[in-house]
Amino acid sequence: DTAVSQTPKYLVTQMGNDKSIKCEQNLGHDTMYWYKQDSKKFLKIMFSYNNKELIINETVPNRFSPKSPDKAHLNLHINSLELGDSAVYFCASSQEQGRRSPLHFGNGTRLTVT
Amino acid sequence: ILNVEQSPQSLHVQEGDSTNFTCSFPSSNFYALHWYRWETAKSPEALFVMTLNGDEKKKGRISATLNTKEGYSYLYIKGSQPEDSATYLCASLTTGGFKTIFGAGTRLFVKA
């Protein structure tokens, strides 16, 4: 039983394309997140949604647009992909807006833009 | 300290050795500290959630302490085993926001 699942696991695409990464959690959590693992391996928050409402929107290019159709799903759509978007993207969820309850992560999506 | 810093960056130990590493975080507006274990090709898994100054948590051979006044936490592994090989991440949460700020992790290699 996968708690937080994201698809696809690998995504190779060309510059300029539009792509989406899907995330679903079956833990009944209220809050979901997208993190980007940067070139120095840091996990950096991109977005956070609580009960389908956007609560964190870091300094991310507006080519990145999260969409939460319900509290169990948070998808990430990326327009006009650039080389610098290549990274591993992690979806996560938590019970209490990521404060005292820990994050539960998906296995990551490795995006390669050529 | 404005960011979350972890040291050392990597650590090589022999099976049976005990080891520890450090997480330094902003002490002002402290709310909680999380430790995660991240094995290669998997996703990070939560080890501990620590909230009170002086907290000590233990899970099997792994334990952690917390000093919120000076802004540091130690993670200890007693009698390291090869299966302990992983990256250990700490993450700081502050009041007034919902952001979890991660350190870069300590990469532990345990040789049999």
Side-chain angles (χ1 to χ4, degrees), chain B residues 16-19 58 60-63 76-81 84:
Chain B
D17 288 352
S18 292
T19 187
K58 188 174 181 182
R61 295 178 291 99
I62 304 176
S63 60
Y76 301 92
I77 302 178
K78 186 177 177 182
S80 303
Q81 300 296 308
D84 295 329

Side-chain angles (χ1 to χ4, degrees), chain A residues 4-81:
Chain A
V4 181
S5 60
Q6 52 183 109
T7 55
K9 189 171 180 179
Y10 300 98
L11 184 54
V12 181
T13 188
Q14 292 185 327
M15 282 175 55
N17 285 347
D18 303 339
K19 290 292 178 186
S20 292
I21 307 172
K22 295 186 177 181
C23 180
E24 177 182 4
Q25 54 96 5
N26 62 7
L27 296 166
H29 288 167
D30 290 332
T31 308
M32 295 186 72
Y33 311 80
W34 277 106
Y35 278 83
K36 180 181 180 180
Q37 187 181 19
D38 67 16
S39 56
K40 295 184 180 179
K41 306 297 185 188
F42 280 95
L43 285 169
K44 295 277 181 69
I45 183 77
M46 297 174 69
F47 301 103
S48 174
Y49 270 71
N50 180 254
N51 277 320
K52 300 193 297 174
E53 287 191 28
L54 181 66
I55 55 172
I56 293 175
N57 184 350
E58 285 298 286
T59 310
V60 176
N62 57 15
R63 298 181 293 103
F64 290 78
S65 54
K67 286 187 171 53
S68 181
D70 55 61
K71 75 174 192 176
H73 295 84
L74 180 62
N75 303 323
L76 183 65
H77 189 75
I78 315 169
N79 289 328
S80 302
L81 278 155

Side-chain angles (χ1 to χ4, degrees), chain A residues 9 33 35 37 40-43 45 48 55-56 58 90 96-108, chain B residues 4 31-32 34 36 38 41-46 49 51 89 93-104:
Chain A
K9 189 171 180 179
Y33 311 80
Y35 278 83
Q37 187 181 19
K40 295 184 180 179
K41 306 297 185 188
F42 280 95
L43 285 169
I45 183 77
S48 174
I55 55 172
I56 293 175
E58 285 298 286
F90 286 91
E96 297 173 19
Q97 297 178 7
R99 290 194 156 206
R100 290 193 168 143
S101 57
L103 301 177
H104 295 254
F105 285 90
N107 283 332
Chain B
V4 177
Y31 191 82
H34 296 175
Y36 293 84
W38 192 358
K42 294 188 179 179
S43 54
E45 291 183 355
V49 174
T51 57
L89 292 174
L93 291 84
T94 52
T95 56
F98 300 104
K99 285 186 261 188
T100 303
I101 309 297
F102 281 87

Side-chain angles (χ1 to χ4, degrees), chain B residues 20-99:
Chain B
N20 67 84
F21 16 94
T22 306
C23 171
S24 301
F25 54 87
S27 55
S28 59
N29 303 317
F30 174 83
Y31 191 82
L33 187 90
H34 296 175
W35 278 101
Y36 293 84
R37 181 170 179 272
W38 192 358
E39 290 182 71
T40 303
K42 294 188 179 179
S43 54
E45 291 183 355
L47 285 173
F48 303 116
V49 174
M50 310 182 79
T51 57
L52 298 174
N53 185 43
D55 253 356
E56 290 189 28
K57 298 275 176 114
K58 188 174 181 182
K59 185 183 285 189
R61 295 178 291 99
I62 304 176
S63 60
T65 61
L66 179 67
N67 182 323
T68 61
K69 294 186 188 310
E70 295 179 41
Y72 64 83
S73 176
Y74 293 134
L75 189 80
Y76 301 92
I77 302 178
K78 186 177 177 182
S80 303
Q81 300 296 308
E83 58 264 31
D84 295 329
S85 298
T87 297
Y88 292 84
L89 292 174
C90 71
S92 167
L93 291 84
T94 52
T95 56
F98 300 104
K99 285 186 261 188

Side-chain angles (χ1 to χ4, degrees), chain A residues 88-99:
Chain A
V88 183
Y89 293 85
F90 286 91
C91 176
S93 71
S94 69
Q95 196 167 18
E96 297 173 19
Q97 297 178 7
R99 290 194 156 206

